[in-house]
Amino acid sequence: MFVDQVKINVKSGKGGNGIVAFRREKYVPNGGPAGGDGGRGGSVIFAVDTGMNTLMDFRYKRKFAAKNGADGGNKRMTGKSADDLYIYLPEGTSVYNDDTNQLLFDLVNPEDEYVALKGGRGGRGNTHFASAKNSAPEIAENGEPGEELNIRLELKVLADVGLVGFPSVGKSTLLSTITSSKPKVAEYHFTTLVPNLGMVRLDDGRDFVIADLPGLIEGASSGIGLGFQFLRHVERTRVILHLVDMSGQEGRDPYVDYKKINDELAKYDENLLKRPQIVVATKMDMPDAAENLETFKEQIKDDELAHEVLAISSITHEGLKELISKTSDLLETTPKFPITDVEDVDEEVEYNADDEEAPFNIRRDEDGVWVLYGKKIERLFQMTDTTHDQSMLRFARQLKGMGVDDALREHGAKDGDMVSILDFTFSFVD
């Protein structure tokens, strides 16, 4: 089964906890702090697997979590860092932040990798907190928590040339004739249910990849027929071969068909019409095809989208050599086009949970408890070892340094009021 769009949830690993420990060696009566650091949590990395051609593997598994780092040990031993979690994707997969529709990375080359979420760093052991005033600190950090992200994966086939047109205009037949691809060919609409790829090789050594995309119909951009779910595959193509049936067997007007397909492309993404189009008049071996072609050329002569009109017959091989040669020539002068189906994003950016976030926020719940929240302050609390008094005193000093005490007073907090962070509650002392 061909699957080209899925949504998954990914989570990086938490760092291991640092520990409070002291030297307890014979003949060392006043041993100092010896608590080791925690190991780093595993990162989530997307990478290309050239053997994959569909996102089918993600249809039944939607949650991916990297492992946590190990806690530190005695004698300053650092905990083991967790292995990174690699998620392998087919070439041509776009990775989006599903919550913001932001393009994070485009995996188009075999060696491409993208670190979607970094693993949390390990917490520091008490060896880091020794000082002249406190030679035996009972302070350690918990590991930094991992991050979580909702991801949308979209596979967009890597093809230089895309075949578009109404069903049964001869796209699959053309593909099977000029490449070694063997798509299903039959006399009914929607024979092609998945994009088919083929490699075209010229005698002069040039080559290009061509994709037969499932047939479009009027209303495809609104979800009618098969076209909507496969229109995204046109985005990577640099040249469009727009096939138009000249036989008249279907009882349709070739020029009306041509206009309807371009209308659907424009409704999906107007940038698709910036790609040069070669209009391919198909089934020229049929009796009325030549007459229909002359009428069509007269109607299309002022159309700016059509780069050229070429007549072919996949059955008799008429015009195929010229079509391949001119398509290859056009590719040499046509650059790659950027993906544009994202909102308010000018360039690829790396996800950062702390960007433009206030260090903390304050609200009061229905029970009168002051609630401190925000990624930075919550992370600070999660990295505090609440089992040791010295760690909690250090946390209190950190809150004061962030301005939490002053902010609570400004909001009206009084001595003895309850304040909570996540699942921890304490009394406010004014």
Side-chain angles (χ1 to χ4, degrees), residues 26-326:
K26 193 174 183 180
Y27 307 121
V28 186
N30 298 312
D37 301 342
R40 179 185 57 82
S43 299
V44 178
I45 302 174
F46 290 104
V48 170
D49 181 350
T50 55
M52 295 177 67
N53 54 19
T54 176
L55 298 174
M56 181 65 184
D57 292 351
F58 302 94
R59 185 166 186 181
Y60 300 108
K61 183 178 180 182
R62 300 294 180 92
K63 291 185 177 292
F64 296 84
K67 292 183 178 179
N68 300 331
D71 294 344
N74 202 349
K75 298 183 180 180
R76 302 187 180 187
M77 290 190 295
T78 300
K80 182 181 178 182
S81 294
D83 293 332
D84 294 331
L85 174 63
Y86 278 82
I87 300 176
Y88 290 97
L89 305 170
E91 287 179 84
T93 303
S94 298
V95 180
Y96 294 85
N97 180 336
D98 191 49
D99 296 325
T100 63
N101 197 35
Q102 188 177 62
L103 177 64
L104 301 177
F105 199 75
D106 210 15
L107 298 167
V108 295
N109 301 305
E111 67 279 3
D112 281 351
E113 286 189 3
Y114 170 65
V115 181
L117 293 174
K118 291 184 178 180
R121 70 171 178 85
R124 293 177 292 175
N126 67 332
T127 55
H128 292 275
F129 300 98
S131 65
K133 293 182 178 180
N134 188 3
S135 59
E138 293 187 3
I139 301 174
E141 288 179 334
N142 291 335
E144 182 182 24
E147 292 290 349
E148 190 170 357
L149 189 61
N150 293 316
I151 293 285
R152 186 175 78 254
L153 304 174
E154 289 191 5
L155 174 60
K156 300 168 184 177
V157 295
L158 290 171
D160 303 303
V161 178
L163 303 179
V164 302
F166 267 81
S168 299
V169 296
K171 298 189 298 298
S172 297
T173 305
L174 174 60
L175 183 70
S176 64
T177 304
I178 63 177
T179 73
S180 58
S181 178
K182 303 297 179 186
K184 185 177 181 181
V185 179
E187 291 296 326
Y188 57 85
H189 287 183
F190 301 127
T191 307
T192 305
L193 299 178
V194 301
N196 291 306
L197 293 175
M199 176 70 78
V200 179
R201 290 186 172 85
L202 283 72
D203 294 337
D204 58 10
R206 293 182 295 173
D207 56 36
F208 58 86
V209 178
I210 187 169
D212 165 22
L213 304 176
L216 304 179
I217 61 174
E218 188 175 10
S221 60
S222 302
I224 299 175
L226 300 176
F228 177 72
Q229 66 186 105
F230 295 114
L231 271 169
R232 70 174 64 91
H233 297 295
V234 187
E235 291 182 35
R236 293 201 193 279
T237 61
R238 290 186 287 146
V239 172
I240 293 176
L241 298 187
H242 190 152
L243 276 61
V244 182
D245 183 359
M246 293 295 162
S247 68
Q249 289 181 316
E250 298 277 339
R252 299 198 306 262
D253 185 318
Y255 183 69
V256 173
D257 283 2
Y258 168 79
K259 296 293 287 184
K260 284 181 178 178
I261 292 297
N262 280 332
D263 286 344
E264 293 308 316
L265 293 176
K267 287 176 183 176
Y268 178 77
D269 184 353
E270 289 185 355
N271 290 286
L272 296 180
L273 298 185
K274 295 179 181 179
R275 290 152 177 72
Q277 286 189 22
I278 295 178
V279 180
V280 183
T282 64
K283 303 184 182 181
M284 292 304 297
D285 54 297
M286 302 304 291
D288 298 328
E291 182 180 344
N292 292 336
L293 177 59
E294 291 305 315
T295 303
F296 178 78
K297 283 184 175 180
E298 186 65 27
Q299 293 170 314
I300 206 176
K301 64 181 181 180
D302 296 325
D303 194 298
E304 296 179 356
L305 292 178
H307 180 81
E308 192 169 1
V309 179
L310 298 177
I312 69 161
S313 169
S314 298
I315 302 299
T316 65
H317 291 197
E318 173 193 350
L320 294 185
K321 189 172 182 180
E322 181 186 12
L323 173 63
I324 292 172
S325 178
K326 290 191 174 183

